[in-house]
């Protein structure tokens, strides 16, 4: 694999360092990054020590004092320029995402496009950080609320969206007047350094003080520096429910705020009148796209009994046509899993299906031989399980799809909701009644509920996130920006009396 795209992203040295604004750091420990595509070593990144972390946080605190005074639309202008920079480097960053994480090049480009889109959104938002005004019950009083930045926003991100999730958080936080410290996944650290290198140029060209955008690298211990640190008022953490449980509790213990984006267990309900083309495209892409490594990947298809066999047959045929291999080759549908640990979780889940009464309709396994030397390639599976099967209560972060049957929509909605997670959900139907029932308060309990599209993927304009063990956080569009700011209610008396609210009397003489 030719790695010439690395140079374009400023990644030419063997030790890429941890670009933080404190460029000249030396590191005692290094993290190695290798590609699941071909197993090749890509580079090493410095792991941030506790002392380095403290220096970065001090710098960020100083930078916040300046950044919060810069008018929001001017902050938006810096973000606009970063969007331009990303447009220039879309191909090379898309390639790095694909090569370091293993998703298809098209999806790598899509991820960079999402970054560009959120920059555009944040630029508009920088002129729309609106607060409400309200009528005071007291005469000659004015009341309104305004939004102020919080300070340092810590971002912990997962491997599967190695660049987009950071920018969802960072671009919004930056226009809000916060400064950001990002810890990318230790499985995709070069993506982090590349994003930081690209934004460093823009910050420098605009005389933005050092410390506004920071990168730290390392494993969960470096994440813990932030979750335990009172100087970080908001920690936005994306990853497994296991991680979110720990980070959420740690941040709550010190009365900080957390924004949690955790695992999903997403289902599509297939009604008897469903358009079969929609079912196949939404179902198959949802289950195997990104090799089943999206938080919104389709894990369960809940199919009406009257069409169950028909859907099953079509799916099995569709799976026969899937091409698995190098994700940078556009003729392949599916690339590798992130690493051999993920492969083991996949094969363990298949074994659990078989030992607990489920049956495999398509039994994928680990692929070996030419092109599969990294040991990370698997072929996707379909299993038939009971609606309440224990194995289907968990998120297996791999292409394993469970089929279940139902006989009426109330039952299907119960099955769909009866899991600990609550991220994404969908129904395929032509019935307005079924669609509306699914979307009603008595319908899907997820943060995302779709009609006639799948569970996978989302647009940046909507608030993104889920309920229950998915963590309850919302990122990206709509009014998600409010999570990155503190609300202040202001009352101004322009009269000569001090009337008390609720008509309370307090006379001094
Ligand atoms: P992970 O939980 O293993 O790691 C995510 C990040 O958390 C990494 O940066 C890791 O170093 C850090 N981390 C782990 N333990 C920590 C701790 N105790 N304290 C502080 N930081 C800690 O997840 P992963 O394997 O990288 O990603 C896959 C998971 O992420 C899946 O469950 C997927 O559904 C979820 N995910 C959710 C969303 C969403 O928006 N809901 C988006 C992407 C991924």
């Amino acid at each position: 694999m030719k790695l010439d795209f690395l140079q374009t992203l400023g990644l030419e040295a063997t030790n890429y360092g941890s670009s933080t604004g404190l460029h000249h750091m030396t590191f005692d420990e290094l993290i190695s990054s290798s590609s699941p595509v071909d197993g090749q070593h890509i580079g090493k990144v410095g792991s941030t020590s506790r002392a380095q972390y403290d220096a970065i946080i001090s710098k960020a605190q100083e930078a916040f004092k300046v950044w919060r005074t810069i008018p929001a639309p001017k902050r938006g202008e810096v973000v606009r320029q970063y969007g331009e920079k990303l447009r220039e480097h879309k191909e090379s960053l898309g390639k790095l995402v694909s090569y370091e994480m293993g998703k298809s090049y098209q999806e790598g480009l899509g991820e960079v496009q999402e970054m560009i889109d959120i920059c555009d959104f944040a630029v508009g938002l920088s002129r729309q950080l609106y607060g409400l005004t309200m009528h005071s019950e007291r005469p000659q009083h004015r009341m309104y609320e305004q939004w102020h930045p919080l300070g340092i926003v810590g971002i912990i991100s997962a491997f599967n969206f190695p660049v987009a999730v950071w920018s969802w958080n960072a671009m919004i936080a930056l226009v809000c007047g916060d400064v950001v410290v990002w810890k990318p996944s230790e499985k995709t650290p070069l993506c982090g350094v590349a994003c930081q290198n690209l934004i460093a140029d823009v910050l420098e060209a605009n005389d933005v003080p050092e410390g506004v955008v920071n990168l730290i690298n390392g494993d969960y211990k470096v994440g813990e520096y932030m979750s335990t640190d009172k100087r970080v008022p908001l920690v936005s953490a994306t990853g497994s429910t296991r991680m979110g449980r720990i980070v959420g509790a740690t941040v709550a213990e010190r009365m900080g705020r957390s924004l949690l984006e955790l695992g999903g267990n997403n289902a599509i309900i297939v009604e008897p009148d469903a358009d079969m083309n929609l079912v196949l495209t939404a179902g198959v892409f949802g289950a195997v796209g990104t090799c089943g490594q999206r938080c919104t990947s389709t894990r369960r298809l809940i199919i009406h009994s009257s069409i169950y066999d028909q859907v099953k047959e079509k799916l099995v045929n569709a799976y026969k046509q899937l091409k698995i291999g190098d994700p940078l080759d556009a003729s392949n549908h599916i690339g590798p899993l992130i690493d051999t640990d993920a492969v083991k979780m996949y094969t363990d889940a298949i074994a659990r299906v078989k030992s607990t009464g489920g049956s495999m309709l398509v039994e994928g396994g680990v692929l070996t031989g030419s092109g599969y030397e990294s040991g990370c390639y698997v072929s996707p599976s379909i299993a038939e399980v009971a609606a309440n099967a224990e194995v289907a209560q968990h998120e297996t972060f791999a292409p394993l799809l469970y089929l279940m049957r139902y006989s009426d929509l109330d039952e299907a909605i119960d099955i769909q909701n009866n899991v600990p997670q609550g991220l994404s959900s969908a129904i395929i139907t032509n019935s307005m009644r079924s669609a509306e029932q699914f979307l009603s308060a008595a319908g899907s309990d997820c943060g995302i509920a779709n009609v006639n599209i799948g569970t996978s993927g989302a647009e940046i304009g909507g608030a993104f996130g889920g309920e229950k063990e998915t963590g309850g956080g919302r990122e990206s569009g709509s009014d998600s920006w409010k999570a990155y700011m503190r609300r202040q209610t202001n009352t101004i008396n322009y009269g000569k009396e001090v009337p008390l609210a609720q008509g309370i009397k307090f006379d001094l003489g």
Side-chain angles (χ1 to χ4, degrees):
M1 173 75 191
K2 279 181 76 186
L3 305 182
D4 42 2
F5 55 88
L6 294 178
Q7 267 185 3
T8 332
L9 300 166
L11 299 172
E12 60 280 90
T14 338
N15 173 2
Y16 299 114
S18 181
S19 172
T20 58
L22 303 176
H23 286 283
H24 304 298
M25 286 181 167
T26 52
F27 297 93
D28 294 337
E29 270 184 60
L30 299 173
I31 314 170
S32 250
S33 177
S34 58
S35 169
V37 174
D38 54 10
Q40 196 179 316
H41 170 77
I42 321 175
K44 286 189 172 144
V45 174
S47 176
T48 311
S49 69
R50 178 72 216 199
Q52 287 166 335
Y53 169 79
D54 284 331
I56 289 162
I57 292 290
S58 298
K59 197 134 227 167
Q61 283 181 307
E62 287 308 307
F64 176 57
K65 290 182 190 154
V66 180
W67 187 242
R68 68 185 171 187
T69 65
I70 294 173
K74 290 220 158 64
R75 299 192 294 249
E77 169 56 19
V78 175
V79 168
R80 189 193 67 73
Q81 290 177 31
Y82 186 49
E84 291 299 307
K85 191 89 179 171
L86 289 168
R87 285 177 171 89
E88 275 168 44
H89 290 84
K90 186 171 171 181
E91 283 75 24
S92 34
L93 189 54
K95 245 181 211 163
L96 174 62
V97 168
S98 172
Y99 190 57
E100 194 178 34
M101 185 273 159
K103 63 177 65 178
S104 76
Y105 178 48
Q106 277 310 309
E107 289 182 76
L109 290 175
E111 223 189 300
V112 183
Q113 185 58 47
E114 242 180 68
M115 299 176 79
I116 295 167
D117 293 344
I118 201 77
C119 286
D120 288 352
F121 182 90
V123 175
L125 182 66
S126 71
R127 292 180 184 271
Q128 298 175 73
L129 299 168
Y130 301 137
L132 298 171
T133 63
M134 48 288 286
H135 287 261
S136 170
E137 65 186 54
R138 288 169 279 183
Q140 298 185 304
H141 280 55
R142 185 164 74 79
M143 240 173 113
Y144 69 100
E145 58 186 27
Q146 58 178 343
W147 294 85
H148 291 310
L150 287 171
I152 300 176
V153 172
I155 302 164
I156 296 173
S157 62
F159 77 84
N160 66 328
F161 278 93
V163 295
V165 165
W166 166 69
S167 58
W168 283 12
N169 283 280
M171 298 309 123
I172 304 287
L174 286 175
V175 298
C176 289
D178 298 308
V179 299
V180 295
V181 180
W182 176 27
K183 191 201 91 60
S185 166
E186 56 275 42
K187 294 175 185 172
T188 50
L190 289 174
C191 283
V193 180
C195 291
Q196 182 75 18
N197 284 348
L198 293 177
I199 203 164
D201 289 351
V202 176
L203 299 176
E204 206 173 304
N206 287 277
D207 292 324
V208 172
E210 241 184 89
V212 169
V213 181
N214 305 277
L215 181 74
I216 55 178
N217 269 305
D219 62 13
Y220 74 95
K221 289 187 234 78
V222 177
E224 273 174 4
Y225 296 161
M226 289 202 284
S227 58
T228 52
D229 190 344
K230 269 184 183 290
R231 296 169 295 179
V232 182
L234 172 67
V235 177
S236 174
T238 302
S240 59
T241 295
R242 186 196 52 76
M243 175 279 289
R245 228 185 271 289
I246 300 170
V247 170
T250 311
V251 175
E253 221 269 322
R254 63 171 175 84
M255 298 287 200
R257 279 196 213 169
S258 57
L259 196 169
L260 301 176
E261 295 286 358
L262 311 174
N265 189 352
N266 318 297
I268 302 179
I269 296 174
V270 183
E271 279 272 271
D273 63 354
D275 179 327
M276 225 22 94
N277 285 331
L278 297 186
V279 174
L280 277 185
T281 314
V284 177
F285 177 73
V288 308
T290 329
C291 203
Q293 297 172 109
R294 288 187 179 211
C295 48
T296 52
S297 289
T298 308
R299 311 273 173 218
R300 298 174 294 148
L301 271 191
I302 306 168
I303 307 162
H304 193 270
S305 312
S306 63
I307 51 162
Y308 185 87
D309 290 336
Q310 186 194 348
V311 174
K312 183 165 116 173
E313 195 188 316
K314 284 187 190 297
L315 279 171
V316 171
N317 279 335
Y319 268 51
K320 285 184 189 143
Q321 282 145 49
L322 294 173
K323 290 207 188 117
I324 305 153
D326 180 350
L328 287 144
D329 173 348
S331 65
N332 289 321
H333 299 105
I334 307 170
L337 287 172
I338 184 70
D339 55 21
T340 48
D341 290 346
V343 172
K344 172 142 191 349
M345 282 191 248
Y346 177 58
T347 50
D348 284 354
I350 294 173
R352 211 157 49 245
V353 169
K354 293 200 280 192
S355 66
T356 56
S359 61
M360 300 304 300
L361 278 177
V362 177
E363 182 167 346
V366 185
L367 297 169
T368 52
S370 172
Y372 301 134
E373 288 86 353
S374 70
C376 299
Y377 290 86
V378 298
S379 73
S381 297
I382 306 179
E384 273 181 310
V385 294
N388 60 357
E390 224 284 312
V391 66
Q393 292 283 307
H394 305 278
E395 178 194 48
T396 298
F397 217 52
L400 170 56
L401 178 67
Y402 299 117
L403 305 193
M404 304 165 174
R405 54 172 93 221
Y406 74 92
S407 44
D408 72 62
L409 186 54
D410 286 336
E411 182 195 358
I413 291 172
D414 279 350
I415 297 171
Q416 124 80 35
N417 290 345
N418 189 25
V419 290
Q421 310 83 354
L423 181 53
S424 186
S425 60
I427 189 168
I428 313 274
T429 183
N430 282 323
S431 155
M432 188 260 269
R433 281 199 180 128
S434 298
E436 292 292 337
Q437 184 180 341
F438 176 73
L439 298 174
S440 76
S444 164
D445 65 0
C446 290
I448 298 167
N450 297 328
V451 176
N452 288 339
I453 61 167
T455 59
S456 175
E459 294 183 28
I460 60 102
F464 181 88
E467 305 300 336
K468 303 191 289 186
E469 290 190 3
T470 303
R474 291 295 185 280
E475 281 173 3
S476 191
S478 184
D479 63 353
S480 306
W481 59 271
K482 291 178 177 169
Y484 303 84
M485 302 197 86
R486 61 186 170 87
R487 184 196 308 243
Q488 187 175 67
T489 304
N490 307 108
T491 309
I492 300 160
N493 177 4
Y494 58 92
K496 292 186 174 164
E497 310 289 325
V498 184
L500 300 180
Q502 296 87 42
I504 293 170
K505 297 272 179 259
F506 185 75
D507 289 331
L508 286 176

